[in-house]
Amino acid sequence: MASKPMIGVMPLYDETKESIWMLPGYMDGIYEAGGIPVILPFGINAEDLAKIDETIDGYLFTGGHDINPKLYSEENRSCGVTLENRDSLEKLVFEKAYAEDKPILGICRGLQIINVFLGGTLYQDLPTERPTNIHHVMTKPYDGTAHYVDIVKGSKLHDLLGRDTLGVNSLHHQAVKELAPKLAVMAASEDELIEAFEEPAKRYLWAVQWHPEFSYKTDESSRKIFKSFVEACK
């Protein structure tokens, strides 16, 4: 029997409590899909990461803070709270994982920062920069449907789910503006925002704008996404 893959999970941070924390859904979604999730620490250098990376088979880039606009060469116009330590950690991890072609899954902020690392840009604040009648910030419970996305036929997401449309939850005020050149769209919302992408040349580099960590208990498609990632890490 194959051993379970180890998955490095990007940490969340609470400024009020000055503490690292984690939403259970990220950890449980990976664990129930057959992986072993491990939260990475802030402040590590390349040497530390090289040691950690010896035991890690893939990386999950989680949701959370806004991304500093300086990473895509813009001034802060309408961006919310950013976290330099997190941006720095994720840049270090992404560059190593990308160079090694280790599986990567991005969720919400994870999708946004992967796009930025590969040369794309973001809407800093959708309500002011791209108003729409689609609700991208839903209220609880977060395992329901906020809107629908159209899945691109021929994409790996379409191959996995076997469907053309999908109801998704939504909790974001930033989004992909210009897609990085190496990336291919896997799904878009009804108002034509990019909601999922892949890099076809990589073994597994996927990202989704919605939150399978909130919906995996009740939604088969969310479970399939976690499962496809963990399987790629084996």
Side-chain angles (χ1 to χ4, degrees):
M1 184 176 179
S3 61
K4 293 182 177 181
M6 299 280 285
I7 311 297
V9 180
M10 300 305 113
L12 309 181
Y13 187 75
D14 185 320
E15 293 94 347
T16 303
K17 297 180 179 179
E18 296 184 348
S19 63
I20 287 176
W21 69 289
M22 183 53 56
L23 285 164
Y26 290 121
M27 309 295 280
D28 295 344
I30 289 172
Y31 192 74
E32 292 187 19
I36 301 174
V38 178
I39 302 172
L40 300 186
F42 289 121
I44 58 175
N45 56 31
E47 184 179 356
D48 297 335
L49 177 60
K51 184 66 176 177
I52 294 170
D53 185 67
E54 292 175 5
T55 64
I56 300 296
D57 300 296
Y59 292 93
L60 174 64
F61 286 75
T62 53
H65 286 77
D66 284 358
I67 296 155
N68 196 316
K70 71 180 182 181
L71 293 177
Y72 48 99
S73 303
E74 289 187 9
E75 296 294 324
N76 188 338
R77 297 185 304 274
S78 50
C79 192
V81 177
T82 63
L83 187 63
E84 186 173 351
N85 280 350
R86 182 167 181 183
D87 291 345
S88 298
L89 169 66
E90 295 189 1
K91 188 173 191 296
L92 186 69
V93 171
F94 181 80
E95 289 177 349
K96 186 164 186 61
Y98 189 84
E100 296 174 344
D101 199 16
K102 288 193 174 183
I104 295 170
L105 175 62
I107 293 176
C108 194
R109 169 195 157 94
L111 171 141
Q112 297 162 13
I113 203 162
I114 289 169
N115 182 56
V116 167
F117 288 154
L118 292 175
T121 64
L122 303 177
Y123 291 108
Q124 293 187 26
D125 181 62
L126 286 174
T128 57
E129 296 189 355
R130 196 181 185 276
T132 175
N133 60 355
I134 300 298
H135 297 294
H136 289 285
V137 181
M138 70 189 300
T139 57
K140 291 182 178 181
Y142 298 135
D143 61 350
T145 295
H147 62 80
Y148 288 83
V149 299
D150 296 316
I151 302 174
V152 176
K153 292 182 179 179
S155 68
K156 292 175 184 175
L157 184 62
H158 192 277
D159 292 343
L160 175 69
L161 302 182
R163 56 193 302 171
D164 298 335
T165 61
L166 179 68
V168 298
N169 54 15
S170 190
L171 196 63
H172 65 105
H173 83 103
Q174 297 195 309
V176 171
K177 184 177 182 181
E178 296 176 349
L179 187 66
K182 293 181 179 180
L183 299 174
V185 177
M186 293 202 294
S189 59
E190 299 156 284
D191 53 354
E192 300 182 342
L193 281 177
I194 294 169
E195 290 273 342
F197 60 62
E198 62 180 311
E199 183 172 337
K202 288 295 184 180
R203 182 156 61 104
Y204 188 105
L205 196 167
W206 289 25
V208 297
Q209 184 59 73
W210 61 91
H211 290 270
E213 79 278 10
F214 286 130
S215 54
Y216 78 95
K217 289 184 179 180
T218 57
D219 177 57
E220 183 182 6
S221 295
S222 297
R223 291 193 293 272
K224 284 183 175 180
I225 290 170
F226 275 122
K227 187 69 173 178
S228 72
F229 171 53
V230 171
E231 288 295 315
C233 294
K234 291 182 177 179

